[in-house]
Amino acid sequence: MQIGLSDENKDQIATELGRFFATEFDENISHFRALQLVDFMVKKVGPSQYNQAVTDIQAFLLSKVEDLDIEFNQQEED
């Protein structure tokens, strides 16, 4: 599965990245360079973040299923 962003999201992130560089590093980068950084980060960081999100939601859903099991199963009397 390839992780991607819509053009609108990439553009918005690139704009914010440009602002970040300007305020934090006192360096202006072009929108084109910011887009290249966004693409790089999505390619290099995106898969690990996606996998972590999947792991987190699996654990969350498993805990909810366990809660249902506890709530709806009654103890059987001998």
Side-chain angles (χ1 to χ4, degrees):
M1 169 188 266
Q2 184 173 351
I3 297 172
L5 298 171
S6 70
D7 289 341
E8 183 179 309
N9 282 345
K10 281 170 58 170
D11 189 57
Q12 185 177 19
I13 294 168
T15 299
E16 291 296 321
L17 192 56
R19 286 187 195 128
F20 176 77
F21 268 75
T23 58
E24 297 296 319
F25 304 122
D26 198 26
E27 181 179 339
N28 292 321
I29 61 172
S30 69
H31 193 70
F32 176 75
R33 178 164 276 166
L35 283 171
Q36 287 180 312
L37 285 169
V38 171
D39 286 339
F40 175 79
M41 295 303 288
V42 168
K43 182 178 177 182
K44 296 297 182 180
V45 177
S48 66
Q49 293 301 299
Y50 176 85
N51 290 340
Q52 184 62 53
V54 169
T55 300
D56 290 349
I57 195 65
Q58 286 174 332
F60 173 77
L61 291 174
L62 183 59
S63 73
K64 293 301 177 186
V65 169
E66 289 172 353
D67 288 347
L68 287 173
D69 187 46
I70 292 169
E71 186 162 331
F72 290 109
N73 282 327
Q74 297 288 322
Q75 280 283 352
E76 294 182 21
E77 292 183 31
D78 292 325

